[in-house]
Amino acid sequence: MFRLCALIAVFLLPISALAHSPDQDKDAAGMAPDAALEKLFADEWQARMDRHPFWASQRGLRDYDALVPDASAEAQQRFQREDQAFLERLSVIDRAGLTVSDRLNADLFGAVLEERLAERAYEPWRIPFVSDSGFHTSATMAIEAIPFKTIKHYEDYLARLSKLDGYVAQNIANMRAGLETGFTMPRAILEKVAPSFKALAVDRAVDSAFYAPFDTMPESIPETDRARLQKAAMDVLNQRLLPAWRGLYAFFTEDYMPAARDTLGVTSLPDGDAYYAMLIRQYTTLDLSAQEIHRIGLSEVARIKSEMEAIIDGLGFEGSFADFLEFLRTDPQFYAKTGQELLNRAAWIAKQADEKLPAFFKTLPRMPYGVRAVPDAIAPNYTTGRYWGPVDGVRGGLYMVNTHALDKRPLYSLPSLTLHEAVPGHHLQIALAREIKDVPEFRRAMYVTAFGEGWGLYTEKLGVEMGIYETPYEQFGRLTYEMWRAGRLVVDTGIHAMGWSRDEAVAFFTENSALSLHNINTEVDRYISWPGQALGYKMGELKLLELRARAEKALGDRFDIRAFHDAVLENGSLPLPILEQMIDRYIERETAATQTGSGAAASLRSQ
């Protein structure tokens, strides 16, 4: 397969074959290969911003603040043709005339395009949501991407609001196409998804999240303009957007839910076996079958459970494994009494981790992050916590903590959650990627699930070395989170390839982890609605642990954890086979530095 094999081939060629030739051939348009590649990257990036104006706004591109995406089926087909054309342009560029770094850029770019084309072949836009988010929540998150400091910001935002009803209509049309072709979300999870649609269908404009920016307008905007803009917002909301949200909720509950499929697994969809195989490759970057991943998951579950039982024995708890889980799920000592208490504890853990970062990383990002509660409108069926990336010119990264149903948010799991979502997990990795120099923009934005989520899970275990876990209960919470990710390998493949029922999936987590029943139900719905995505976490972590063990064995006393972590993160998000090649080269550099001095290491680095 090109996207992996071609990337690996770059690092297996002799150095002489990778050198930049002074006599570059011209491409079909008369451009040198490096110039043709640079233009291709720029053209695709422009197309990407045009397709995703919410995301463009989040990246600080103010020209997109008045726009909404074109979600129509016609637009999706056009995007398919455009991406195929980009791939064809890439194929005619003479790679022998590129530097090593440009060849890596070209191959990663090709991998992105091929993955996108492979997924679009199944027309996934017919299901434009998962259990806890979707096109509708993307629209609300896009509010935060606008600074709201000037009249122009508000006028652009009003223009965006006036177009959102069309965006909603396009997504309804896509969902209708899904109903007609049997490509729908399973009916079993839709009762819990419906509230996220209902939350937008409020009766009064002043109660809408989309009106909130007009409640806190800056003093620098004259009163007459404030009144004008507020009235315009009321008009747009009352006449266009709120009727659109109400129509969406009515469609979802009256048309979509009754007609949605009564099966669970993605393999029950048209061409579902091939679709799931594609999703496994996409989310793990590995060529593994569902059965192989299922077996790996069962093995990891058995190992982790033995470690959990050792902690229970060490605590002297009298009772069974199930009794201990019930104790953890019900004893008030393990739960915050207020949402603010939970947020305060999360922020405290995050600051403890911040202090310890220099001992484990040479390179740290400049971008800060904050801690916030998940918005009420989406919290009931939202995951326990999540990282929201920085918005240029507006805010840093956000570690989002779910404060809904506090009796289901145990404090003993909070250290693991914080390490994963904030630092040294997602914020550190994503912020560093955004700050990489001398790479095309798509590299800074690239996110490979197995890499990013594998890194997040790896950092949960790194927290042991960092001294973050203070009690046996917090260590058990860490193992519960690791069990959660190992269980995903079993449950995701069980549901989507082996005919598991929802009850079987819930029972598996209930019996093997200390997750609350609320979290278990929420997470199982997530795996049902988002096939394959949950596989990236544990598969990525296993590869990172394998690579660290390889480096420690090869370098012995010369192994430097800070240098290893820099080697993992310095190139941004990568497919796992390419990360493996990068770490092998890091081991070569470090070995050469010890054997022959820094000159040899510098020579290898320049290659």
Side-chain angles (χ1 to χ4, degrees), residues 14-136:
I15 297 304
S16 60
L18 299 178
H20 183 79
S21 169
D23 299 318
Q24 294 175 322
D25 293 331
K26 306 289 184 179
D27 74 351
M31 300 178 70
D34 57 349
L37 189 65
E38 183 178 353
K39 186 174 190 312
L40 175 57
F41 292 157
D43 289 348
E44 188 277 336
W45 186 253
Q46 181 66 57
R48 197 184 304 196
M49 295 300 98
D50 291 344
R51 295 176 192 178
H52 305 290
F54 294 161
W55 193 43
S57 290
Q58 288 182 311
R59 298 188 74 82
L61 302 177
R62 301 274 69 94
D63 289 346
Y64 290 88
D65 289 349
L67 305 178
V68 301
D70 186 346
S72 67
E74 294 77 16
Q76 302 295 342
Q77 292 161 5
R78 184 173 71 252
F79 301 157
Q80 187 87 341
R81 294 192 298 271
E82 290 174 354
D83 285 346
Q84 188 62 54
F86 288 138
L87 196 59
E88 290 170 3
R89 285 173 58 183
L90 178 65
S91 71
V92 300
I93 293 175
D94 177 19
R95 297 181 183 228
L98 298 175
T99 63
V100 174
S101 59
D102 271 347
R103 294 186 76 174
L104 174 60
N105 292 336
D107 287 329
L108 288 172
F109 183 74
V112 169
L113 289 174
E114 288 202 341
E115 181 178 284
R116 211 186 286 165
L117 288 165
E119 184 173 17
R120 271 218 203 92
Y122 296 92
E123 301 183 355
W125 56 84
R126 291 174 291 169
I127 307 178
F129 64 95
V130 293
S131 64
D132 64 2
S133 54
F135 72 93
H136 55 308

Side-chain angles (χ1 to χ4, degrees), residues 344-416:
N344 290 350
R345 180 63 180 167
W348 170 245
I349 295 167
K351 294 311 295 180
Q352 286 181 301
D354 277 340
E355 181 219 342
K356 297 173 185 291
L357 291 180
F360 293 86
F361 300 88
K362 288 184 177 179
T363 305
L364 295 173
R366 294 183 65 254
M367 178 65 68
Y369 68 97
V371 181
R372 277 198 215 173
V374 172
D376 292 341
I378 61 175
N381 208 42
Y382 203 73
T383 193
T384 308
R386 189 165 282 170
Y387 177 72
W388 291 1
V391 178
D392 288 352
V394 178
R395 61 162 174 78
L398 282 180
Y399 164 33
M400 305 298 292
V401 180
N402 198 329
T403 57
H404 174 77
L406 288 171
D407 60 338
K408 316 301 180 189
R409 314 289 177 194
L411 294 171
Y412 56 76
S413 296
L414 201 56
S416 291

Side-chain angles (χ1 to χ4, degrees), residues 1-4 7 44 48 51 79-80 83-84 87 90 106-125 274-275 277-287 442 445-451 530 532-533 573-577:
M1 177 177 259
F2 166 86
R3 64 178 185 168
L4 296 183
L7 268 64
E44 188 277 336
R48 197 184 304 196
R51 295 176 192 178
F79 301 157
Q80 187 87 341
D83 285 346
Q84 188 62 54
L87 196 59
L90 178 65
D107 287 329
L108 288 172
F109 183 74
V112 169
L113 289 174
E114 288 202 341
E115 181 178 284
R116 211 186 286 165
L117 288 165
E119 184 173 17
R120 271 218 203 92
Y122 296 92
E123 301 183 355
W125 56 84
Y275 185 36
M278 181 276 297
L279 291 170
I280 289 174
R281 288 194 299 273
Q282 177 185 121
Y283 287 118
T284 69
T285 71
L286 302 171
D287 287 320
F442 86 87
M446 191 170 174
Y447 189 80
V448 177
T449 297
F451 182 97
W530 204 353
Q533 192 269 350
S573 197
L574 297 171
L576 297 182

Side-chain angles (χ1 to χ4, degrees), residues 411-466:
L411 294 171
Y412 56 76
S413 296
L414 201 56
S416 291
L417 180 70
T418 302
L419 293 168
H420 184 113
E421 303 295 344
V423 294
H426 286 325
H427 174 71
L428 187 144
Q429 183 261 313
I430 291 172
L432 282 175
R434 289 279 290 267
E435 295 172 14
I436 297 174
K437 299 186 183 301
D438 302 321
V439 296
E441 198 65 31
F442 86 87
R443 286 281 305 278
R444 297 187 183 97
M446 191 170 174
Y447 189 80
V448 177
T449 297
F451 182 97
E453 300 300 345
W455 173 257
L457 183 49
Y458 168 86
T459 63
E460 293 178 30
K461 186 169 288 186
L462 184 65
V464 177
E465 298 172 64
M466 296 173 69

Side-chain angles (χ1 to χ4, degrees), residues 9 45 68 181 287 308 398 422 474 554 564 571 579:
W45 186 253
V68 301
T181 54
D287 287 320
M308 296 170 87
L398 282 180
E474 290 183 347
F564 172 76
N571 289 291
L579 173 64

